[in-house]
Amino acid sequence: MRFYFFVMKGIIACLIVCFSWIGHADAMALDGPWYYREGFSPANVTGAPSWVRAAVTLDAGWQLFNYPDQPPLTGKAPFVWLTTVIPAKNYQSPILFFTTTEQSFRVYLDTTMIYRYGSLTPQRFSYGSAWHMLPLPSWCGGHRLTFEMYSTYPHRLGQFDRMALDESDAQLTRLLKEDIPYLTALPVNIVMFIFLLVYVLKRRIRDRLYVFVMLFFLLFSVWLVGTSNIKQLFWNFPVFWQKLHLTITYLLPLVANLVLYSILEASPRRWARWIIGVYAVLFIGVVVGELAGLGTLDRGLTVYYVVLPALQLPMFWALLRSARQGNLYSKSLVPAALIIPLLGLYDGLASYFHVLPWAMHLVPFGVVTFVVFMLQLLNNDAEQERRLMRQAADLELQVAVAIEKSQIDPLTKCFNRSKLNEALLQEPAIANETKAELSLIMFDIDLFKQVNDTFGHTAGDTVLVKLTAAVRQMLDARHTFIRYGGEEFVLFCRGIGCAEARDLAEHMRERIAAADIFAEQAITVSLGVSCWHGGNDSGMELLKRADQALYAAKNAGRNCVRVEA
């Protein structure tokens, strides 16, 4: 929760900085009296609209309205005329900056047309959203500025999103400043998308949650480009940018809710599908209507901004309940599910309905909260991978312990015959690879059968346990101690040559003979030593030569050491 609080403070700080930066510009506002006249102007004898000259004299047909609000139009005509007087001031290179949506227009300074956008006739896909920088003469102060505007969208007709009069360099600076949130959020979204794409491809992840998250970042990146001012400097195609911007506006909540759907538990998913279905139907409806020439991408925004809070409130509630139940994904998405819809709703009320003050879109600031979710997603994935690695390591350890137990003789705690078969292959291979020496000592207990026959098998087991314990004290990590069978034992000596192995065998013989192993009968051993010859020598040959040396020790009277011939 502390981290979420930190993110919230960061977003608020960014908003304050950006609003203060834009708000401190010293642009001249055209806040003098504005007048409007609805309808199509008749032409005068020269063919020019007669209302242009009428605007200069402000005859009885003109009515005062409260700019920057939209004039109170009847909607009976697709034309409206607006006029005002430019504030009297000494200008050097004045530029009039303003934005329009779905409108074509002409601009007149007094009675002279100085700018034109569009043809003032119906277009299949209308005129898009565009900003305009209109150079004015330095003497324009105190002169009348008149707009002849046309639109088939009654709620757009006669509406300026923004308008300011300033010097050319200041206007360009303002244009770039307004793009700060978009240019800041865009690289974040692109980096997140590329990072996730590489992450998913590298790990071959097939979880649809990752697909939805990547799609959200991709769509939001395109939305940011379509919303920015600077894109018009590189490709001045307002209709395309407006339609792309609106299309993605309808898609974003659909994809965002698919992300929510992917992390919710089974119970809320049932009605979450209905919410996603409503967004899908709305999207399909406005796209089909737009293709049919009905302009529904723009007109459908009224429904969109009504549906948005109505649908996101229950989705947020479901996410909150899931978070309280311990769902880490839900916990990390709570800030995004709250902040992004609220910022989107504010943008709609400000930029579309014009009921709130508006300087720029605020939704880009909300992407920070979605990054929090992505980091949680990656962290959970990494934690799951670490958990699987620990489980695999534990399983390997259990397997190793089980294998070791299967290779341990329960009485003497030496390795058993199963280990011998493995060692006969591994030890020569290691010696051959490392060019190290290898020796093998085979020994058995002299007259052990006599102990069993005379004193019983329990006494024989006691001899075996005490003898192997005494031998183990003389060994280190280089030795592999194996019970070959009955009273016979094999000792692999890694890195030890024949002479050293013979010395070890002799030392073992002496220590065993002197040890207090069995009071009723002296215990001795006979030992045979063989050495690794390298090359084509094998483990079985090494064992066979040690066995022959042991046989020679037995024939020599027992309690002695013999080395292979």
Side-chain angles (χ1 to χ4, degrees):
M1 294 304 294
R2 288 183 179 178
F3 182 70
Y4 296 152
F5 182 65
F6 175 78
V7 171
M8 286 293 296
K9 289 198 298 183
I11 294 174
I12 294 172
C14 290
L15 289 173
I16 293 173
V17 170
C18 289
F19 272 124
S20 62
W21 195 359
I22 295 174
H24 288 168
D26 296 326
M28 177 69 71
L30 300 183
D31 53 2
W34 280 77
Y35 297 86
Y36 79 97
R37 192 167 185 176
E38 188 176 4
F40 180 76
S41 170
N44 57 25
V45 293
T46 64
S50 61
W51 287 0
V52 174
R53 185 167 296 279
V56 177
T57 59
L58 278 182
D59 62 21
W62 294 88
Q63 301 178 59
L64 188 68
F65 77 98
N66 187 25
Y67 174 84
D69 294 341
Q70 185 183 23
L73 305 176
T74 64
K76 295 179 180 179
F79 287 91
V80 67
W81 290 70
L82 309 178
T83 186
T84 189
V85 174
I86 299 173
K89 183 182 176 182
N90 292 325
Y91 302 100
Q92 294 181 359
S93 54
I95 297 287
L96 180 65
F97 171 83
F98 59 97
T99 59
T100 58
T101 301
E102 308 294 8
Q103 298 181 86
S104 173
F105 57 89
R106 295 171 182 166
V107 183
Y108 300 87
L109 186 62
D110 292 333
T111 59
T112 303
M113 187 175 70
I114 58 174
Y115 187 73
R116 176 174 183 160
Y117 178 74
S119 60
L120 301 181
T121 58
Q123 300 293 320
R124 179 176 176 81
F125 294 109
S126 193
Y127 294 98
S129 178
W131 53 263
H132 312 271
M133 282 195 178
L134 175 57
L136 298 175
S138 58
W139 47 265
C140 66
H143 290 262
R144 183 159 294 278
L145 190 68
T146 303
F147 295 85
E148 178 188 8
M149 310 191 75
Y150 168 86
S151 179
T152 57
Y153 294 79
H155 64 287
R156 297 291 191 185
L157 184 58
Q159 182 76 58
F160 296 104
D161 297 325
R162 289 162 288 169
M163 179 177 285
L165 179 63
D166 209 337
E167 302 298 330
S168 58
D169 55 345
Q171 293 287 32
L172 183 59
T173 301
R174 178 177 292 103
L175 192 72
L176 297 177
K177 283 182 178 180
E178 290 179 356
D179 275 355
I180 288 173
Y182 316 125
L183 299 179
T184 302
L186 181 59
V188 175
N189 279 267
I190 293 175
V191 168
M192 292 298 101
F193 171 76
I194 295 175
F195 179 82
L196 276 177
L197 181 62
V198 173
Y199 183 82
V200 168
L201 293 177
K202 185 175 181 180
R203 294 174 176 262
R204 298 182 179 179
I205 298 174
R206 297 186 178 181
D207 191 342
R208 62 183 179 181
L209 174 60
Y210 283 88
V211 175
F212 295 145
V213 174
M214 286 192 296
L215 183 58
F216 178 84
F217 280 119
L218 179 62
L219 288 174
F220 203 79
S221 298
V222 179
W223 184 89
L224 289 168
V225 174
T227 308
S228 67
N229 293 317
I230 199 171
K231 96 280 187 171
Q232 198 171 322
L233 295 175
F234 297 99
W235 192 23
N236 189 13
F237 195 175
V239 174
F240 169 80
W241 290 118
Q242 170 73 353
K243 303 311 177 187
L244 180 65
H245 167 80
L246 290 176
T247 300
I248 297 178
T249 298
Y250 288 99
L251 271 177
L252 279 174
L254 175 60
V255 176
N257 281 284
L258 285 172
V259 174
L260 298 180
Y261 175 83
S262 300
I263 67 171
L264 288 174
E265 292 75 12
S267 178
R269 277 188 173 187
R270 290 193 294 271
W271 48 267
R273 282 195 289 267
W274 285 96
I275 292 177
I276 294 171
V278 172
Y279 279 118
V281 169
L282 178 61
F283 171 73
I284 294 171
V286 296
V287 170
V288 171
E290 187 69 29
L291 294 175
L294 301 178
T296 47
L297 278 176
D298 187 81
R299 291 185 170 94
L301 288 175
T302 302
V303 177
Y304 174 84
Y305 285 114
V306 172
V307 165
L308 183 67
L311 295 185
Q312 290 311 122
L313 187 60
M315 285 295 285
F316 176 74
W317 178 249
L319 192 70
L320 198 60
R321 291 184 59 187
S322 176
R324 289 175 177 174
Q325 293 171 4
N327 188 323
L328 294 179
Y329 288 156
S330 297
K331 286 182 179 179
S332 61
L333 255 183
V334 165
L338 175 64
I339 293 172
I340 294 179
L342 285 178
L343 295 180
L345 185 61
Y346 182 93
D347 286 345
L349 294 174
S351 64
Y352 183 74
F353 293 104
H354 302 283
V355 297
L356 293 173
W358 187 72
M360 67 184 123
H361 285 91
L362 303 183
V363 169
F365 295 105
V367 75
V368 177
T369 60
F370 207 83
V371 173
V372 173
F373 165 70
M374 196 208 76
L375 295 177
Q376 181 65 55
L377 179 66
L378 297 177
N379 180 67
N380 285 2
D381 189 54
E383 180 60 34
Q384 182 178 3
E385 184 175 349
R386 288 192 293 268
R387 185 167 57 251
L388 292 175
M389 290 177 64
R390 288 194 298 269
Q391 292 175 352
D394 291 342
L395 183 59
E396 289 179 3
L397 179 60
Q398 292 174 12
V399 171
V401 169
I403 292 174
E404 184 175 350
K405 285 183 178 179
S406 69
Q407 294 179 337
I408 296 296
D409 176 59
L411 177 63
T412 63
K413 308 305 179 187
C414 298
F415 287 110
N416 59 22
R417 187 69 175 265
S418 175
K419 180 65 174 181
L420 175 64
N421 296 332
E422 179 184 301
L424 287 173
L425 296 174
Q426 288 184 350
E427 294 297 337
I430 294 173
N432 196 39
E433 182 179 348
T434 61
K435 309 303 180 185
E437 295 180 300
L438 175 65
S439 299
L440 188 147
I441 300 174
M442 177 182 284
F443 67 92
D444 74 356
I445 304 173
D446 296 331
L447 303 176
F448 182 73
K449 186 176 183 303
Q450 182 176 312
V451 175
N452 278 333
D453 292 345
T454 304
F455 303 101
H457 289 283
T458 301
D461 289 346
T462 300
V463 170
L464 289 171
V465 170
K466 289 186 175 182
L467 184 141
T468 52
V471 171
R472 198 172 286 111
Q473 292 178 359
M474 294 177 267
L475 307 179
D476 55 35
R478 298 173 297 171
H479 303 101
T480 302
F481 192 17
I482 300 171
R483 185 181 182 188
Y484 188 35
E487 72 277 16
E488 286 188 286
F489 296 87
V490 171
L491 185 65
F492 283 91
C493 304
R494 188 183 301 176
I496 296 176
C498 248
E500 189 177 351
R502 184 191 181 286
D503 292 342
L504 174 60
E506 186 62 37
H507 180 57
M508 290 168 54
R509 184 193 66 78
E510 293 174 353
R511 287 282 298 274
I512 292 171
D516 184 15
I517 294 177
F518 190 58
E520 284 75 11
Q521 180 178 314
I523 301 299
T524 61
V525 293
S526 299
L527 305 97
V529 179
S530 63
C531 309
W532 170 251
H533 296 168
N536 295 325
D537 200 0
S538 67
M540 289 303 298
E541 290 297 322
L542 184 65
L543 181 66
K544 181 178 178 181
R545 294 196 299 272
D547 186 44
Q548 291 172 349
L550 173 60
Y551 185 74
K554 290 287 188 181
N555 288 337
R558 301 187 180 88
N559 191 24
C560 62
V561 178
R562 290 292 182 267
V563 180
E564 67 172 84

